[in-house]
């Protein structure tokens, strides 16, 4: 008999959930108040049996779970979790390694070096890049843009880490008008107000217009950072990054690429032209918990030149001295000091799927997104608003009374209530849309067809 029945309980409950997640209702089935009543109560005073705590947690939280790991969840560009990565997370939790320093976990440090090499090779980026393993693309953007801020100010003779921003030369930051909120949020954390960003017009698919960029660059003086985007969160479209890099570098700018999911197009030969020239940028932010389908949380901050990366993130102290052979100090590349060994799940994913399996997953999601668009578009009153170039589909629904936005909101609400699949909403260029993101390793053609039928039935009910 196990000496830790709570672990046995968690294992059995996890298996039961994963074995039935493809058949369960996708959205949550409980209200917030019901969850508060079930899970809450007064502060516990005495001890309780650990196995009973786990059992009750699993039972009472279940109605509030969203089946994001299932094959018909199409919200927020959310990947699932390939089973081997779940197993790796169980191991990682048991080992409880701190990824801050080599001395604290040699295995974690070595795994980070290995996976950094694999990822940069897969993406076609310079092998000399430094890589930080962060929580997600928001912190990856923050890390890369901190390196950018350091470097463009260093070139003027200013040390921002030592002397701060208050008296520093003004840094101009150029972004597309459809820049993702995580990039803008990262810039705000770094001291760049949202209102002072130089915004460049985008086209109908959300791609930065190069002709408008030229005018924006002409208006900027002094240190300069340009942020490009590959994989618009609504349309999947990518900025013309090659042209952006060449123009920005001619002005001495640092070019950062926000590529939460779209950066992985660089790994697929037939998709790579969408992001041509991306390898010439100075830094890149992406997620592994989206298209690589590892569990939350897993992001990657990649910088072409390690020196500004380490200068921006490093926190020297006498007790943190590294060995003469420069053993990896993970905290040199990320905003955190202590952090969990999130690289373990990513290592097992790449080991298990290999390059071919990862490319197949990306290709399959893109193919299934096109299938969804093809299934929905023939219906009268249904409009696909984007060019389906990756895994994103934008849908709008017409209403007989002309209030198309209200109809689209109503269809979204019915779809979420129905539970066959889950899709969210967004405002795209002034219009309410349903946003469908196909990002899960386990989604099949049947899942797409079932979901499309459910969406059309919800529209017909209006």
């Amino acid at each position: 008999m196990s000496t830790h029945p709570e672990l046995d309980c968690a294992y059995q409950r996890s298996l039961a959930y994963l074995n039935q997640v493809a058949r369960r209702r996708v959205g949550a089935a409980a209200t917030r108040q019901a969850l508060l009543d079930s899970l809450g109560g007064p502060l516990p005073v005495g001890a309780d049996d650990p196995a009973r705590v786990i059992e009750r947690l699993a039972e009472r939280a279940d109605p509030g779970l969203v089946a994001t790991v299932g094959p018909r969840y199409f919200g927020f560009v959310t990947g699932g979790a390939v089973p081997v990565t779940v197993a790796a997370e169980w191991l990682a939790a048991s080992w409880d390694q701190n990824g801050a320093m080599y001395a604290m976990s040699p295995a974690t440090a070595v795994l980070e070096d290995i996976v950094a090499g694999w990822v940069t090779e897969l993406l076609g980026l310079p092998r000399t890049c430094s890589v930080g393993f962060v929580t997600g693309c928001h912190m990856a953007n923050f890390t890369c843009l901190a390196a950018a801020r350091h470097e463009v100010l260093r070139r003027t003779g200013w040390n921002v880490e030592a002397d701060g921003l208050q008296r520093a030369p003004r840094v101009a930051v150029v972004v597309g008008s459809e820049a993702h909120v995580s990039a803008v949020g990262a810039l705000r954390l770094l001291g760049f107000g949202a209102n002072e960003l130089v915004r460049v017009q985008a086209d109908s698919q959300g791609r930065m217009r190069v002709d408008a960029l030229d005018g924006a660059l002409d208006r900027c003086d002094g240190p300069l950072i340009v942020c490009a985007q590959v994989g618009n969160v609504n349309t999947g479209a990518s900025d013309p990054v090659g042209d952006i890099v060449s123009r920005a570098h001619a002005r001495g700018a640092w070019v950062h690429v926000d590529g939460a999911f779209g950066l992985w197009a660089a790994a697929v030969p037939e998709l790579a032209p969408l992001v041509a020239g991306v390898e010439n940028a100075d830094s890149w932010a992406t997620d592994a918990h989206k298209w690589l389908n590892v569990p939350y949380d897993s992001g990657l901050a990649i910088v072409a030149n390690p020196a500004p990366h380490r200068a921006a993130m490093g926190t020297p102290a006498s007790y943190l001295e590294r060995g003469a052979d420069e053993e990896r100090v993970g905290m040199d590349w990320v905003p955190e000091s202590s952090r969990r060994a999130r690289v373990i799940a990513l290592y097992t994913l790449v080991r298990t799927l290999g390059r071919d399996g990862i490319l197949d997953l990306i290709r399959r999601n893109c193919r299934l997104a096109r299938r969804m668009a093809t299934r929905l578009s023939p219906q009268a009153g249904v409009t696909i608003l984007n060019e389906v170039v990756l895994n994103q589909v934008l849908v709008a629904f017409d209403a007989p009374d002309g209030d198309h936005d209200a109809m689209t909101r109503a269809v979204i609400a019915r779809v979420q209530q129905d539970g066959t699949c889950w899709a969210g909403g967004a405002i795209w260029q002034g219009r309410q849309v349903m946003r469908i993101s196909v990002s899960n390793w386990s989604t099949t053609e049947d899942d797409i067809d079932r979901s499309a039928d459910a969406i059309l039935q919800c529209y017909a009910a209006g």
Side-chain angles (χ1 to χ4, degrees):
M1 185 175 179
S2 171
T3 57
H4 294 287
E6 65 272 23
L7 297 180
D8 293 333
C9 179
Y11 172 70
Q12 294 300 330
R13 279 287 192 166
S14 297
L15 284 184
Y17 180 81
L18 293 175
N19 286 336
Q20 57 79 47
V21 70
R23 300 185 298 276
R24 71 179 280 148
R25 171 191 174 86
V26 179
T31 65
R32 181 178 185 274
Q33 188 58 52
L35 291 169
L36 285 170
D37 294 342
S38 178
L39 293 163
L43 171 69
V45 177
D48 200 349
D49 176 69
R52 184 168 66 173
V53 169
I54 294 297
E55 182 67 30
R56 287 180 174 175
L57 169 64
E59 177 183 345
R60 295 177 182 182
D62 186 80
L65 300 179
V66 178
T68 54
V69 298
R72 293 184 304 282
Y73 181 83
F74 304 122
F76 302 104
V77 200
T78 298
V82 175
V84 71
T85 67
V86 178
E89 286 290 280
W90 291 346
L91 273 180
S94 300
W95 293 340
D96 195 23
Q97 298 292 282
N98 188 333
M101 301 173 61
Y102 179 92
M104 300 182 78
S105 180
T108 300
V110 168
L111 287 173
E112 288 190 350
D113 279 336
I114 291 168
V115 174
W118 287 349
V119 166
T120 52
E121 180 180 353
L122 185 61
L123 292 171
L125 302 180
R127 298 301 297 276
T128 54
C129 289
S130 50
V131 180
F133 295 83
V134 294
T135 55
C137 208
H138 197 135
M139 278 297 102
N141 281 323
F142 173 86
T143 302
C144 294
L145 288 165
R149 183 184 66 177
H150 166 90
E151 180 59 17
V152 298
L153 285 173
R154 183 198 65 80
R155 294 171 189 169
T156 72
W158 189 266
N159 185 331
V160 66
E161 284 72 39
D163 299 321
L165 276 175
Q166 305 247 28
R167 294 173 289 107
R170 185 180 185 279
V171 177
V173 181
V174 176
V175 302
S177 62
E178 290 293 338
H180 191 265
V181 292
S182 69
V184 176
L187 287 163
R188 286 170 50 200
L189 291 174
L190 290 164
F192 302 105
N195 290 340
E196 68 176 347
L197 304 179
V198 179
R199 306 255 181 181
V200 179
Q201 286 181 309
D203 67 13
S204 64
Q205 296 299 302
R207 297 174 291 234
M208 187 189 294
R209 286 175 42 193
V210 174
D211 60 331
L213 173 63
D214 289 334
L217 294 178
D218 289 341
R219 297 192 301 273
C220 295
D221 295 317
L224 177 62
I225 299 170
V226 176
C227 297
Q229 177 178 240
V230 291
N232 180 281
V233 74
N234 288 307
T235 67
S238 295
D239 291 343
V241 66
D243 289 337
I244 292 169
V245 169
S246 62
R247 284 166 163 78
H249 279 176
R251 272 280 286 105
W254 176 294
V255 179
H256 170 65
V257 176
D258 175 14
F261 64 98
L263 186 60
W264 297 100
V268 184
E270 63 270 28
L271 298 178
L274 296 172
V275 295
V278 73
E279 69 280 2
N280 297 320
D282 299 291
S283 59
W284 308 262
T286 192
D287 281 318
H289 56 229
K290 288 185 170 63
W291 246 348
L292 265 60
N293 279 240
V294 303
Y296 282 99
D297 49 27
S298 187
L300 297 159
I302 308 171
V303 181
N305 181 356
H309 190 174
R310 175 178 278 165
M313 292 292 111
T315 51
S318 62
Y319 66 93
L320 299 177
E321 291 299 317
R322 68 207 70 192
D325 59 350
E326 290 292 301
E327 297 159 339
R328 182 182 178 92
V329 176
M331 60 191 286
D332 279 353
W333 316 111
V334 298
E336 308 104 331
S337 297
S338 296
R339 60 194 172 89
R340 69 185 189 88
R342 58 176 60 88
V343 70
I344 293 171
L346 183 51
Y347 173 86
T348 61
L349 184 282
V350 181
R351 269 289 185 205
T352 301
L353 296 187
R355 181 196 298 271
D356 290 347
I358 292 170
L359 268 58
D360 177 68
L361 187 152
I362 295 169
R363 287 173 173 137
R364 184 156 26 94
N365 282 170
C366 294
R367 184 174 67 250
L368 292 173
R370 293 192 295 271
R371 185 182 183 91
M372 176 69 83
T374 300
R375 286 293 309 273
L376 295 176
S377 59
Q379 174 65 46
V382 177
T383 305
I384 306 300
L385 296 175
N386 66 315
E387 301 165 8
V388 184
V389 292
L390 291 179
N391 60 329
Q392 301 295 101
V393 184
L394 287 185
V395 193
F397 300 89
D398 290 346
D401 64 0
D403 194 346
H404 307 316
D405 285 355
M407 173 61 78
T408 300
R409 286 192 293 269
V411 175
I412 293 169
R414 291 188 202 114
V415 166
Q416 293 177 359
Q417 180 62 34
D418 171 76
T420 300
C421 64
W422 200 100
I427 301 297
W428 174 247
Q429 298 187 343
R431 186 170 184 180
Q432 177 70 54
V433 296
M434 173 186 284
R435 192 180 69 169
I436 297 171
S437 304
V438 185
S439 311
N440 193 289
W441 68 276
S442 64
T443 304
T444 65
E445 291 185 353
D446 179 65
D447 290 312
I448 294 297
D449 293 344
R450 285 180 58 192
S451 299
D453 288 345
I455 291 168
L456 293 176
Q457 288 168 7
C458 289
Y459 179 40

